[in-house]
């Protein structure tokens, strides 16, 4: 993980001996002669554009503590261009560590002149040096940020225990939180669980554990927001609330940075942290997202990037517009929350997208801050399964509330989505999509009811279809991919042929063939009846068999459901828009969550 924090190199004029840097037990870094440390890295650089544009920051102070004969430089990088802002030479002596302070102001004429501010420490050729610490400070005093951090959890005690331990192990991170609210929607007795109890004792009264029935991520996080809005009389009122997933691996300094940013943030700004890939920990999985109305698709921003590369860091210094930042790490002021209302009771998948899009339409900017991040299980490990029902229903709801799409446009997008699954033999997924459309057409009442019986009913859909898997060790022949058609007309002809084949021709028993995930599409499966999807992340590989009866049954259901979507879409959209103020109100949520007492 070191490349995310610091790098070692040699300046051209510093001799030819070996270079070496050693991380000591106290956190300092010992430098051999002629060795340089660079902090133009993901976690150590200061991405100044985000701060100058979205906070009231007027000046910066960089405090550096070093020891020995060395040169300290402060630089700015914009793209491939470097500007030296400060340079200070330190001589070895008997005086021990030396503290240096550098003042930096925003002297840019245009926002594109802002980039990465970073530190370099170079040991002189004749002796060793030691880097002890460095920190960025605002030049002016900031009002305090009284932050309530909310974690929603469901039977992930071990992961939650690691998260709490990471907070209490870093005193500065722990001090940045006024209260840690854990909303437990799984098994009871969380505070006494062996994985959690040690950290819980250290947090003491600053840890609040709420036990309730399973109302999904939306219900858990909103319960925490409500607690923050109605803070105990014994505590000062909170100013901000932060949301954290229970299974993230936390970079503790993220809490410090986000708290500092929020204390200086302008009025109409909310803040997100980046999601790093826990499977590939030096890759950025997502830094915000937009809802693509044309393709009816959530499009990640700054997606799947190698953040050890300097050119990628320069890309992160930009300020892309976005609709939302995921709730793996997200924070906003309670004033904003009171103004725009609480989240929709979406259960999971889409609650953060709808809430962020609502913020966007209230002219509130979402900032996803580089260097503030958590490691999280990437979404490619969560493809398929019952989540697809919520994705379909909730994205239709998002579109109804915030987009201007005709009924024909809604049908066209859902038909395309459905056919992609039907023609790749994913019949369970196709049934979930149809159920999601049906429940959207039920209107707002689907969100007013207790979500737990609905969630349990999704298991009955799986029972209609086989979902076999094969062990990854299975020896299977690899499918030879057919030549792709050329031109739109050729694709259209093949599409009609594939539709006719699925509707008219019974599947023949055949040995399954292994198909890599990059080649898994209706056009490449047009002559196959049994395939195994080979993705590099799944332990067991799903087996998909073509079934004419399933295809015909689902096609008949789809014709009815999509016709209803076309005819009823405008009316249902008006219902959703009329109900939105109620569904996001504090009074509704208190009544809605009161059902948890029966769970």
């Amino acid at each position: 993980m070191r490349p995310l924090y610091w790098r070692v190199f040699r300046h051209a004029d510093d001799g030819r001996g070996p270079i070496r840097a050693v991380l000591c037990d106290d956190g300092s870094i010992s430098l051999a002669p002629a060795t340089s440390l660079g902090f133009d890295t993901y976690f150590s650089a200061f991405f100044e554009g985000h701060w100058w544009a979205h906070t009231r920051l007027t000046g910066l102070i960089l405090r550096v503590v070093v020891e020995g004969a060395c040169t300290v430089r402060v630089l700015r990088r914009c793209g491939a261009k470097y500007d030296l802002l400060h340079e200070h030479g330190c001589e070895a002596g008997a005086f021990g560590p030396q503290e240096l302070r550098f003042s930096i102001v925003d002297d840019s004429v245009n926002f594109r002149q802002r980039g990465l501010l970073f530190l370099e420490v170079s040991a002189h050729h004749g002796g060793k040096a030691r880097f002890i610490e460095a920190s960025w400070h605002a030049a002016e005093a900031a009002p305090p940020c009284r932050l309530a951090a909310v974690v929603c959890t469901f039977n992930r005690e071990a992961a939650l225990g690691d998260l709490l331990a990471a907070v209490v192990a870093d005193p500065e991170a722990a001090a940045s939180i006024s209260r840690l609210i854990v909303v437990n929607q799984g098994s009871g007795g969380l505070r006494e669980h062996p994985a959690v109890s040690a950290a819980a004792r250290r947090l003491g009264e600053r840890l609040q554990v709420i036990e309730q029935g399973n109302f999904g991520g939306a219900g858990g996080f909103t319960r925490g927001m409500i607690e923050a809005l109605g803070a105990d009389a014994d505590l000062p009122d909170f100013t901000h609330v932060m949301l954290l997933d229970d299974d993230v691996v936390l970079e503790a300094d993220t809490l410090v940075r986000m708290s500092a940013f929020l204390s200086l943030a302008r009025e109409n700004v909310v803040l997100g942290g980046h999601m790093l890939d826990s499977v590939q920990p030096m890759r950025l999985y997502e830094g915000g997202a937009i809802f693509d109305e044309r393709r009816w698709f959530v499009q990640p921003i700054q997606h799947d990037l190698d953040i050890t590369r300097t050119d990628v860091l320069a890309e992160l210094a930009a300020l892309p517009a976005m609709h939302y930042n995921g709730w793996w790490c997200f924070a906003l002021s309670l004033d904003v929350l009171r103004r725009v209302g609480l989240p929709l009771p979406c259960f999971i998948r889409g609650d953060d997208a709808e809430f962020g899009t609502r913020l966007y339409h209230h002219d509130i900017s979402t900032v996803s801050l580089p260097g503030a991040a958590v490691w999280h299980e990437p979404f490619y490990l969560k493809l398929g399964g019952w989540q697809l029902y919520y994705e379909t229903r909730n994205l239709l709801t998002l579109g109804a509330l915030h987009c201007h799409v005709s009924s024909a446009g809604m049908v066209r997008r859902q038909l395309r989505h459905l056919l992609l699954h039907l023609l790749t033999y994913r019949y369970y997924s196709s049934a979930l999509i149809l159920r999601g459309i049906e429940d959207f057409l039920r209107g707002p009442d689907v969100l007013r009811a207790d979500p737990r019986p609905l969630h349990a009913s999704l298991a009955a859909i799986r029972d209609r279809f086989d979902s076999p898997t094969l062990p990854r060790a299975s020896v299977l022949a690899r499918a030879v991919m057919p030549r792709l058609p050329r031109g739109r007309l050729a694709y259209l002809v093949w599409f009609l042929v594939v539709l006719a084949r699925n509707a008219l021709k019974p599947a023949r028993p055949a040995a399954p063939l292994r198909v890599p995930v990059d080649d898994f599409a209706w056009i490449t499966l047009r002559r196959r009846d049994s395939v195994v999807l080979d993705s590099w992340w799944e332990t067991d590989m799903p087996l998909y068999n073509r079934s004419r009866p399933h295809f015909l049954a689902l096609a008949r259901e789809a014709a009815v459901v999509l016709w209803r979507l076309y005819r009823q879409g405008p009316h249902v959209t008006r219902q959703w828009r009329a109900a939105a103020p109620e569904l996001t109100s504090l009074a509704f949520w208190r009544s809605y969550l009161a059902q948890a007492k029966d769970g």
Side-chain angles (χ1 to χ4, degrees), residues 56 142-145 240 258-265:
R56 298 181 297 275
C145 172
H240 296 78
M258 293 184 71
S259 178
F261 191 101
L262 293 168
S263 69
L264 291 163

Side-chain angles (χ1 to χ4, degrees), residues 126-459:
K128 296 180 180 180
R130 187 163 66 102
F131 168 78
I132 298 174
E133 62 177 348
S135 53
W136 298 94
H137 302 269
E140 68 284 342
C145 172
R146 296 184 295 277
L147 183 62
V150 177
V151 180
C152 173
T153 188
F154 181 83
N155 293 344
R156 284 177 170 162
E157 291 86 357
L160 176 65
D162 291 341
L163 173 60
L164 299 182
V167 174
V168 298
D170 189 306
E172 193 174 2
S176 67
I177 299 176
S178 298
R179 177 169 286 194
L180 184 53
I181 303 170
V182 176
V183 181
N184 179 35
Q185 302 187 131
S187 303
L190 181 65
R191 187 184 281 270
E192 289 74 35
H193 191 280
V196 176
S197 57
R201 284 193 298 272
R202 292 184 63 183
L203 286 165
E205 293 183 355
R206 294 174 61 202
L207 174 65
Q208 179 181 357
V209 177
I210 299 169
E211 307 273 0
Q212 71 175 27
N214 184 14
F215 284 73
F221 281 130
T222 305
R223 178 66 183 276
M225 292 178 179
I226 293 171
E227 291 295 320
L229 286 168
D232 290 349
D234 294 338
L235 289 174
D237 290 341
F238 301 122
T239 59
H240 296 78
V241 63
M242 171 185 283
L243 310 180
L244 283 169
D245 274 349
D246 60 349
D247 59 342
V248 299
V249 177
L250 178 69
E251 163 52 63
D253 205 41
T254 292
L255 301 179
V256 180
R257 296 176 188 196
M258 293 184 71
S259 178
F261 191 101
L262 293 168
S263 69
L264 291 163
R266 299 188 190 279
E267 182 179 0
N268 288 333
V269 171
V270 298
L271 183 62
H274 280 176
M275 173 178 161
L276 307 185
D277 188 332
S278 62
V279 177
Q280 305 173 88
M282 286 188 278
R283 297 192 73 85
L284 170 63
Y285 186 81
E286 183 179 312
I290 60 173
F291 179 65
D292 188 332
E293 184 177 331
R294 182 176 62 85
R295 294 188 297 162
W296 211 261
F297 181 68
V298 172
Q299 180 66 49
I301 298 173
Q302 298 174 334
H303 175 59
D304 192 25
L305 300 176
D306 179 357
I307 51 176
T308 65
R309 292 173 42 180
T310 55
D311 59 327
V312 169
L313 296 182
E315 181 181 338
L316 297 184
L319 293 170
M322 64 186 68
H323 283 131
Y324 77 99
N325 190 101
W327 286 355
W328 52 79
C329 183
F330 176 73
L332 75 164
S333 74
L334 294 181
D335 287 339
V336 167
L337 189 59
R338 294 184 184 101
R339 200 177 345 145
V340 303
L342 294 165
L344 274 180
C346 290
F347 198 73
I348 63 165
R349 294 296 178 98
D351 43 2
D352 50 5
E354 187 283 324
F355 188 75
T357 306
R358 196 189 330 157
L359 291 170
Y360 176 82
H361 287 294
H362 278 78
D363 296 323
I364 296 170
S365 299
T366 297
V367 179
S368 198
L369 184 64
V374 295
W375 285 271
H376 190 277
E377 184 179 48
F379 294 150
Y380 55 74
L381 296 181
K382 301 180 179 182
L383 295 177
W386 51 265
Q387 293 98 332
L388 190 56
Y389 161 79
Y390 292 102
E391 291 173 9
T392 303
R393 187 197 71 183
N394 296 342
L395 286 182
L396 279 166
T397 304
L398 189 161
L401 293 177
H402 301 296
C403 302
H404 301 283
V405 183
S406 65
S407 289
M410 295 172 76
V411 170
R412 186 167 56 250
R413 287 160 176 79
Q414 294 305 316
L415 178 60
R416 183 187 298 118
H417 192 209
L418 182 63
L419 285 171
L420 288 175
H421 288 80
L422 275 176
L423 298 181
T424 52
Y425 322 144
R426 290 176 287 176
Y427 304 116
Y428 171 48
S429 296
S430 302
L432 288 169
I433 292 170
L434 292 174
R435 174 68 182 278
I437 299 171
E438 287 179 325
D439 281 358
F440 165 74
L441 291 172
R442 286 172 56 193
D445 284 346
V446 74
L447 298 189
R448 293 188 177 103
D450 187 337
R452 290 169 291 180
L454 185 153
H455 186 65
S457 73
L458 299 180

Side-chain angles (χ1 to χ4, degrees), residues 537-561:
W537 56 83
E538 290 178 299
T539 304
D540 294 320
M541 300 179 294
L543 171 63
Y544 298 112
N545 295 309
R546 187 170 72 86
S547 167
R548 180 171 174 262
H550 284 337
F551 178 85
L552 291 175
L554 288 165
R556 284 191 291 266
E557 289 182 36
V560 174
V561 170

Side-chain angles (χ1 to χ4, degrees), residues 23-59:
L23 180 63
C24 304
D25 291 340
D26 62 358
S28 65
I29 301 174
S30 176
L31 303 179
T35 299
S36 293
L37 276 182
F39 293 95
D40 50 340
T41 59
Y42 178 80
F43 279 119
S44 295
F46 187 88
F47 292 82
E48 59 175 337
H50 295 71
W51 292 79
W52 297 129
H54 294 292
T55 73
R56 298 181 297 275
L57 187 69
T58 59

